[in-house]
Amino acid sequence: MVSRRQLLKDSAAEALALWASSRSLKAQAAGNARLTDKVLVVDGGGANVVAFSGGEGFVLVDSGAPKSGDKVMAALSGFASGSKVQTLFNTHYHLDQTGNNEMFAAAGAKIIAHDRTRQWMSTDYWVPAEDRYENARPKAARPTETFLTTGSLKAGEEQIDYGYLTLAHTSGDIYVLFKNTNVLAVGDVASPLRDPALDWFTGAWIGGRVDSMDILLKLANDQTKIVPAYGPVMTKAEFKAERDLMDEVRERLFKQVREGDGPKDMLEEGVLKGLARTWKDPEKFLYDACKGLWGHNDKIGPNVV
Ligand SMILES: [Zn+2]
């Protein structure tokens, strides 16, 4: 029989564990996380900024949301004081990832991105969900060096490989792999915290998302630290779980769309039910996913029943 004392001890231990895990979650959500002696994930106004310190200065992946510049700078100088940002990657064109580009460019940083990211930042474009135009970014904010497929560079001893991810979230998503330190920045192609988002008006769609996640899985091993645009750092196993879930969603949506269902029908029929994640705005997700599927109808095959 379990003694009363033992029971009390167990429940105290349980409470302590619960308290500790909620504390570490909070710390993760609110602050900066040091991944290795060379890599810090900085809170850039809610979005992750990956900072690699080595060689001549910093290499950053994404610059943070507008108005978070001072906070990001403070975190960087706390990490390696006197060090300048040499190179800034943009994983895609969204403001949360490019909001402080001007600041780093003015201090001499080179900005590397996919060429379509530069294009989106260079023109006014329509945001259908918000029924408004987004203005082109000033020239000083735009990428200074673009590519189409893959590229690599050295920062001190570190090998940095980067490459295009086909239509996963926007039309210009990229990954950045810090090979020696084994940190992989994947932008908004993984979404452990927020609803997975598909900018269908750029061509992004769920098929592209799953394909891109497969490319990323091949770049990672069990020790790789995978950094998404928002939320906690992921292991390969956690990333694989999100990939498998998205593949399940893809398969369900293919089936429904072949039957002629729209987003409302899908929602009513419970297309997102029974999955290991919930959606904050399932209707928006399904609307965007359907728009993407209609745009890529040549890839979903006929309904042969
Ligand atoms: Zn985004």
Side-chain angles (χ1 to χ4, degrees):
M1 214 178 109
V2 185
S3 71
R4 186 163 177 271
R5 177 179 284 247
Q6 186 59 43
L7 268 177
L8 278 174
K9 240 175 132 180
D10 286 351
S11 64
E14 221 168 88
L16 191 72
L18 212 71
W19 173 80
S21 76
S22 74
R23 226 172 94 92
S24 78
L25 273 179
K26 257 183 222 144
Q28 221 169 29
N32 307 317
R34 198 172 178 136
L35 296 193
T36 73
D37 58 343
K38 289 189 177 141
V39 179
L40 182 74
V41 179
V42 179
D43 174 7
N48 289 328
V49 172
V50 179
F52 172 85
S53 167
E56 300 294 297
F58 280 112
V59 175
L60 296 193
V61 183
D62 289 331
S63 64
K67 299 193 181 114
S68 67
D70 291 348
K71 233 177 96 187
V72 173
M73 279 311 288
L76 294 183
S77 53
F79 188 46
S81 72
S83 207
K84 271 181 58 173
V85 175
Q86 300 290 333
T87 306
L88 163 64
F89 286 94
N90 287 150
T91 57
H92 58 291
Y93 71 92
H94 286 160
L95 260 179
D96 275 5
Q97 281 68 42
T98 60
N100 298 308
N101 275 17
E102 290 95 325
M103 183 183 80
F104 292 116
K110 147 174 102 176
I111 305 177
I112 304 178
H114 192 273
D115 198 55
R116 284 196 205 98
T117 293
R118 183 191 58 77
Q119 289 171 16
W120 280 106
M121 291 173 72
S122 306
T123 179
D124 297 349
Y125 64 92
W126 183 246
V127 186
E130 293 162 34
D131 205 18
R132 64 172 180 91
Y133 272 99
E134 180 73 52
N135 290 333
R137 299 290 297 282
K139 204 154 187 253
R142 298 178 201 163
T144 53
E145 196 182 309
T146 63
F147 67 97
L148 290 174
T149 51
T150 56
S152 63
L153 60 87
K154 279 260 187 188
E157 296 294 298
E158 185 73 27
Q159 168 80 19
I160 302 173
D161 294 340
Y162 49 96
Y164 178 47
L165 297 164
T166 322
L167 302 177
H169 168 63
T170 71
S171 56
D173 303 294
I174 64 164
Y175 67 82
V176 181
L177 173 66
F178 297 88
K179 221 168 171 179
N180 311 47
T181 37
N182 207 0
V183 171
L184 176 60
V186 302
D188 236 341
V189 176
S191 203
L193 200 65
R194 302 185 170 197
D195 290 353
L198 302 162
D199 271 10
W200 58 269
F201 54 92
T202 70
W205 73 303
I206 191 153
R209 195 166 181 98
V210 175
D211 291 346
S212 296
M213 293 185 96
D214 283 337
I215 293 173
L216 292 167
L217 276 173
K218 288 201 189 96
L219 295 171
N221 59 36
D222 291 341
Q223 280 73 47
T224 307
K225 296 180 169 77
I226 300 176
V227 189
Y230 305 93
V233 175
M234 306 166 86
T235 62
K236 186 182 183 183
E238 287 164 341
F239 183 88
K240 171 82 165 50
E242 183 174 324
R243 180 259 170 223
D244 290 349
L245 189 141
M246 292 313 291
D247 191 42
E248 170 68 25
V249 173
R250 181 193 61 76
E251 210 167 291
R252 290 183 186 187
L253 294 187
F254 271 32
K255 188 166 166 278
Q256 300 278 110
V257 90
R258 281 198 299 246
E259 278 164 18
D261 285 349
K264 282 213 165 73
D265 311 304
M266 293 183 184
L267 193 65
E268 275 163 27
E269 285 169 37
V271 77
L272 298 177
K273 285 231 169 96
L275 296 167
R277 81 178 288 157
T278 53
W279 268 257
K280 286 179 192 87
D281 191 348
E283 207 170 330
K284 181 178 191 303
F285 171 77
L286 289 174
Y287 179 85
D288 293 349
C290 281
K291 283 282 198 181
L293 285 163
W294 294 331
H296 291 271
N297 61 69
D298 56 323
K299 299 181 192 82
I300 56 184
N303 192 3
V304 274
V305 224

